[in-house]
Amino acid sequence: MFNLVKGTHDVILDEARKYSYIEVVLERTAELYGYKEFRTPIIETSELFLRSVGDSSDIVRKEMYTFDDKGGRSITLRPEITAGTIRSMVANKLFAMQDYPIKGYYCGPCFRYERPQQGRYRQFNQFGVECAGVIRSERDAEVISMGYNSLMMLGFQNLELKINTLGDEESRNKYKEALKEYFSQYIDTMCEDCKERFKLNILRILDCKVKEDREIIDKAPKITDFLSESAKKDFDTVLTNLDKLGIKYTIDHELVRGLDYYSGVVFEFHYTSSQGKNYGAIGAGGHYNKLIHELGGPEIEGCGYAMGIERLASVMEDDNLFTDIEQFLDVYLMPIGERAINESLSIANVIRMSGYTCDICLENKGMSQMFKKGERRDALYALIIGDNELDSHKFVLKNMMSQEQIEVKENELIDVLDDLFAEDEHDEHCHCGEDHECECENHHDDEHCHCGCHHKE
Ligand code: ATP
Ligand code: MG
């Protein structure tokens, strides 16, 4: 038996299905806002993250999986996906060929050498979006509201949106000066990380989680007193737009985020499950001004966020937000005897190619054992075939729940299944029909369902 690498976890079976469900809902919501998918490599040059995430960030200072490949190049497993996404926009000349903003979403594994604990892994999954080419703060508000709405689509109630502005460069420089003056009185008593932050990027001290340091930090100057008129106006625009959209937020002047590229508005989504568990931020993001240019693109600004799939899945599990994601087996084929077993692959083939899930009992068991196996597989129907059925070309189809059974002509099997499943869909599984209220609370028909509920077209 081999052990898992510390800080990693298997996502299998039902859990994998939950992850897929989350990803589909997030992707579909981003598509509603005109975003398209970006799939970029998991390995990138180390330089990319030094340039973007920044050498004062915890990520670059101590969390990156960096190694030299056999050709002596320094390679890093991506700790986040913004840098790779922007890099790909530049490398593929999207800024030269497409209208701004360029809107991309991504989803995939990230790697950080952190201390593993609840909601914190060394390999974890992020879903995120980047809107490259932001010229008005309304766009920032649009991005934030998309993040908020994505979480609503997943069923989150009572979300907490924390928001702050890091101002423009002029405001930030003045603020940093004031922080320097303030913290210089206390820095000798603060934690080692803070001492380093003091030298590298003083703003980051505000992010410190050490209790004794927090008392000092809480009395530090606030960014609001240093904002230029235009930085104030930009922040106000974001907030009034959120107000108009009915999105509640808390302004948190200590929110600075862990990556160096942010400027302007920054935000985090928090959620405490009904069991009282808080896994930290389930998503976070902000506006960036220099990142795109820094990575070789034009001098334009952007805004984005990333959500942690593991944390989303944990809180959703706690709050029973996974609905309708059971995976039933449509048909369990029960061949009785050698002849039926010989025919079973062809029969299952027709069923599967018609879009129904089907499994075969090839173990030549007795009837009652086959039914038990079917139940354990969550089969909806059992299809029973023996010598008589093969001779008469009439099979027995049994509803596993109601135990009702009907005789079905071989050449009508798929038509019968179509009828049965059409009824079932309408009765139980579909949330998109005219008579049903969809969970996303947006009325829509089958074709345009974006809520992520699983139904057959
Ligand atoms: P935190 O403050 O929790 O360390 P962060 O500021 O490092 O988060 P980002 O880099 O902005 O987070 O990543 C976005 C999201 O990715 C986070 O809000 C969180 O949900 C998730 N995330 C970050 N690090 C991890 C991790 N090690 N394991 C699981 N999820 C993570
Ligand atoms: Mg972190």
Side-chain angles (χ1 to χ4, degrees):
M1 243 229 330
F2 291 96
N3 292 329
L4 276 168
V5 172
K6 189 173 176 193
T8 66
H9 64 132
D10 294 319
V11 182
I12 60 169
L13 304 170
D14 283 352
E15 199 183 10
R17 193 160 167 82
K18 289 172 182 168
Y19 276 47
S20 300
Y21 168 79
I22 294 174
E23 289 162 10
V24 166
V25 174
L26 295 178
E27 284 168 10
R28 288 190 186 172
T29 315
E31 279 163 7
L32 289 178
Y33 288 78
Y35 283 71
K36 306 238 167 89
E37 186 171 15
F38 282 65
R39 294 188 187 214
T40 60
I42 283 171
I43 51 173
E44 296 273 4
T45 59
S46 304
E47 181 64 19
L48 176 70
F49 303 108
L50 295 180
R51 277 290 191 89
S52 55
V53 177
D55 54 12
S56 82
S57 65
D58 283 355
I59 294 179
V60 170
R61 279 175 48 231
K62 36 187 192 190
E63 296 173 358
M64 292 210 304
Y65 279 90
T66 296
F67 60 95
D68 283 349
D69 71 6
K70 290 190 169 56
R73 303 168 198 92
S74 180
I75 303 290
T76 293
L77 303 185
R78 63 184 183 194
E80 53 93 85
I81 314 184
T82 297
T85 304
I86 303 292
R87 180 204 50 68
S88 80
M89 290 179 181
V90 175
N92 291 284
K93 303 196 171 50
L94 302 192
F95 293 116
M97 296 184 321
Q98 296 196 2
D99 275 347
Y100 300 166
I102 294 165
K103 296 172 161 188
Y105 70 79
Y106 57 76
C107 187
C110 296
F111 305 81
R112 296 184 192 176
Y113 195 79
E114 299 199 69
R115 195 168 68 78
Q117 52 193 289
Q118 178 174 286
R120 196 174 291 286
Y121 297 90
R122 289 184 174 168
Q123 175 173 341
F124 61 99
N125 292 280
Q126 279 193 344
F127 172 91
V129 307
E130 304 304 335
C131 182
V134 172
I135 47 172
R136 295 182 59 110
S137 303
E138 283 81 355
R139 190 67 83 182
D140 290 331
E142 187 189 34
V143 171
I144 300 169
S145 67
M146 170 167 71
Y148 188 91
N149 287 339
S150 305
L151 296 170
M152 296 292 280
M153 290 288 205
L154 284 171
F156 283 81
Q157 305 286 335
N158 308 319
L159 261 178
E160 197 191 352
L161 167 60
K162 292 188 186 176
I163 193 163
N164 188 23
T165 179
L166 302 177
D168 49 22
E169 239 167 317
E170 183 198 331
S171 328
R172 209 156 46 242
N173 286 340
K174 279 196 206 147
Y175 183 46
K176 282 181 180 172
E177 279 305 311
L179 286 179
K180 210 156 231 158
E181 208 179 306
Y182 174 79
F183 283 119
S184 60
Q185 313 164 59
Y186 307 103
I187 195 67
D188 292 342
T189 64
M190 296 177 80
C191 76
E192 288 309 309
D193 271 340
C194 278
K195 286 191 183 114
E196 205 163 329
R197 290 172 181 134
F198 185 80
K199 285 186 242 144
L200 287 172
N201 183 355
I202 194 150
L203 271 183
R204 184 88 64 238
I205 292 186
L206 303 182
D207 207 19
C208 178
K209 310 263 180 335
V210 176
K211 200 168 154 254
E212 292 75 25
D213 290 353
R214 289 268 22 127
E215 289 167 18
I216 301 170
I217 293 165
D218 288 343
K219 298 199 190 87
K222 302 278 176 270
I223 180 89
T224 20
D225 298 326
F226 300 86
L227 292 179
S228 66
E229 278 312 308
S230 85
K232 243 186 239 166
K233 195 166 149 267
D234 286 348
F235 193 45
D236 279 349
T237 303
V238 173
L239 298 183
T240 33
N241 275 281
L242 293 178
D243 289 336
K244 272 195 214 155
L245 291 165
I247 295 177
K248 286 201 210 93
Y249 51 82
T250 335
I251 299 174
D252 176 353
H253 290 305
E254 277 158 14
L255 186 71
V256 286
R257 309 290 310 117
L259 302 92
D260 277 357
Y261 47 66
Y262 289 121
S263 169
V265 67
V266 289
F267 53 93
E268 285 184 354
F269 296 106
H270 288 253
Y271 184 77
T272 305
S273 75
S274 54
Q275 319 224 342
K277 270 200 209 143
N278 184 330
Y279 294 83
I282 50 178
H287 180 103
Y288 40 86
N289 60 346
K290 288 197 173 149
L291 178 65
I292 300 169
H293 188 52
E294 192 68 19
L295 298 183
E299 282 187 62
I300 55 171
E301 309 192 7
C303 187
Y305 59 74
M307 313 237 179
I309 306 287
E310 278 74 4
R311 293 190 195 176
L312 288 173
S314 300
V315 282
M316 287 178 67
E317 188 69 46
D318 286 356
D319 278 11
N320 295 319
L321 297 183
F322 289 114
T323 51
D324 263 349
I325 63 161
E326 303 100 322
Q327 205 162 21
F328 295 106
L329 180 68
D330 294 332
V331 179
Y332 191 49
L333 189 53
M334 302 180 179
I336 305 160
E338 276 305 304
R339 220 179 118 204
I341 286 180
N342 284 339
E343 291 304 315
S344 61
L345 256 69
S346 315
I347 297 167
N349 198 44
V350 174
I351 298 172
R352 290 164 178 158
M353 296 312 277
S354 304
Y356 296 103
T357 54
C358 176
D359 202 354
I360 317 169
C361 182
L362 282 176
E363 288 74 26
N364 203 5
K365 300 270 179 198
M367 207 52 143
S368 69
Q369 271 178 304
M370 285 207 277
F371 271 108
K372 282 209 184 91
K373 278 170 75 112
E375 272 167 22
R376 283 198 293 271
R377 280 171 167 65
D378 290 326
L380 297 171
Y381 290 92
L383 186 67
I384 303 149
I385 306 166
D387 289 346
N388 289 344
E389 284 75 15
L390 287 173
D391 289 338
S392 63
H393 296 282
K394 283 182 191 156
F395 304 157
V396 176
L397 188 65
K398 184 165 180 171
N399 183 319
M400 296 284 285
M401 278 262 262
S402 67
Q403 301 289 312
E404 266 173 72
Q405 72 179 47
I406 51 172
E407 208 176 61
V408 182
K409 285 193 190 140
E410 183 175 2
N411 59 4
E412 289 174 2
L413 175 62
I414 299 305
D415 289 342
V416 171
L417 288 176
D418 285 347
D419 286 347
L420 289 171
F421 278 92
E423 269 171 36
D424 279 357
E425 285 302 326
H426 209 69
D427 284 356
E428 284 176 46
H429 304 304
C430 181
H431 297 273
C432 311
E434 300 250 319
D435 318 330
H436 299 269
E437 192 84 359
C438 170
E439 277 171 14
C440 69
E441 290 169 10
N442 295 324
H443 177 78
H444 46 230
D445 55 31
D446 275 9
E447 260 182 84
H448 293 104
C449 176
H450 300 281
C451 69
C453 72
H454 294 257
H455 65 277
K456 292 217 172 62
E457 311 287 300

